[in-house]
Amino acid sequence: MRTTLIITICLLSLFALGVSCSEDSKDCSSTEEQIQKPLNPNGDSELALLMRAMFDEAQRIKKQIANNEPVTLTLDHDKILTAHATEPEKAASEEYKAFAAAYLQTIESLETASQAQIIDVYDGMINNCMTCHKALCPGPMARIKNLQ
Ligand code: HEC
C-alpha cells in the first residue's frame, strides 16, 4: 500500500517535471513545434521574429547564388546583438556575443565577395548559424540544415 503511494507520487512528480521542462525550453529544443507554430502568435520575442526573417533571407540568398544573381541583403542583421530574446540571459552571454560577432562578419563578407568566393562565404555563414544554435539553441538546427 505504502509502496504504491510512493510510486504514484514519484510518477506524478516525474510527469510534472517533464511538462515544465518542455514548456521552459519550447523555443530552443523542439523542432516540430518550431515548424508548426503559426507566424506571429502573441509572445514571440523580437529575436525569434528576426531569426525567422534571417532564415527567409538566407533561403533567398541561396537561390540568388544558384541562379548566378547578385546577392542582396534586406535585413539589419546587427539587430541580432540588441533584439529582445525569449531567454534574455542567453542573448546576454559572452558566448552568444562571440557567435553573433562571427555571424555578422560573414554577413559583411557576403556583401563584398566575388562571384567565385560567394558559395564559400555563404557556407561559412550557414555554419555560423549552426555553431551558435548547436551551443545555445538546438531546436531549429534541422531547419537550418536545409539552408546548406
Ligand atoms: C549568435 C547566436 C545565433 C546565431 C548566429 C543564429 N541564431 Fe537563430 N536563434 C538564436 C537564439 C538564441 C534563438 C531563440 C530566439 C528567441 O526565442 O528569442 C534563435 C532562434 C532561431 C529560430 C527559431 C525562431 C522561432 O520561430 O522561434 C530559427 C528558425 C533560427 N534561429 C534560424 C537561424 C538562422 C537561419 C541563422 C543564420 C542565418 C541563425 N538562426 C543564426 C541564436 C542564434
Side-chain angles (χ1 to χ4, degrees):
M1 184 62 198
R2 211 161 186 200
T3 325
T4 319
L5 190 67
I6 289 169
I7 289 174
T8 311
I9 290 170
C10 282
L11 283 177
L12 278 178
S13 50
L14 264 181
F15 179 71
L17 201 71
V19 169
S20 64
C21 279
S22 50
E23 199 60 33
D24 280 342
S25 51
K26 77 173 194 306
D27 276 300
C28 281
S29 314
S30 158
T31 323
E32 292 313 309
E33 262 175 60
Q34 292 299 338
I35 293 167
Q36 282 157 17
K37 208 156 59 170
L39 285 184
N40 246 328
N42 283 341
D44 275 332
S45 72
E46 202 186 341
L47 186 62
L49 295 176
L50 173 68
M51 286 287 163
R52 281 181 221 163
M54 280 162 53
F55 184 90
D56 293 344
E57 176 126 307
Q59 215 164 28
R60 190 175 40 74
I61 290 173
K62 188 181 174 182
K63 279 200 197 115
Q64 289 176 325
I65 294 174
N67 295 334
N68 266 324
E69 289 164 9
V71 163
T72 52
L73 291 169
T74 61
L75 291 175
D76 183 1
H77 291 262
D78 286 338
K79 285 207 179 117
I80 193 176
L81 294 171
T82 51
H84 193 75
T86 310
E87 296 170 81
E89 66 286 353
K90 241 180 211 178
S93 69
E94 287 308 314
E95 210 181 2
Y96 177 90
K97 286 182 196 157
F99 288 132
Y103 171 74
L104 291 174
Q105 213 149 31
T106 50
I107 286 290
E108 217 170 279
S109 311
L110 263 186
E111 290 182 297
T112 55
S114 68
Q115 248 353 67
Q117 299 166 318
I118 199 92
I119 292 183
D120 287 342
V121 177
Y122 175 84
D123 288 346
M125 175 186 77
I126 302 302
N127 277 343
N128 278 324
C129 307
M130 276 298 203
T131 347
C132 186
H133 276 268
K134 202 170 190 175
L136 299 174
C137 181
M141 282 172 71
R143 268 185 92 184
I144 297 175
K145 237 182 166 39
N146 291 328
L147 294 170
Q148 281 172 335

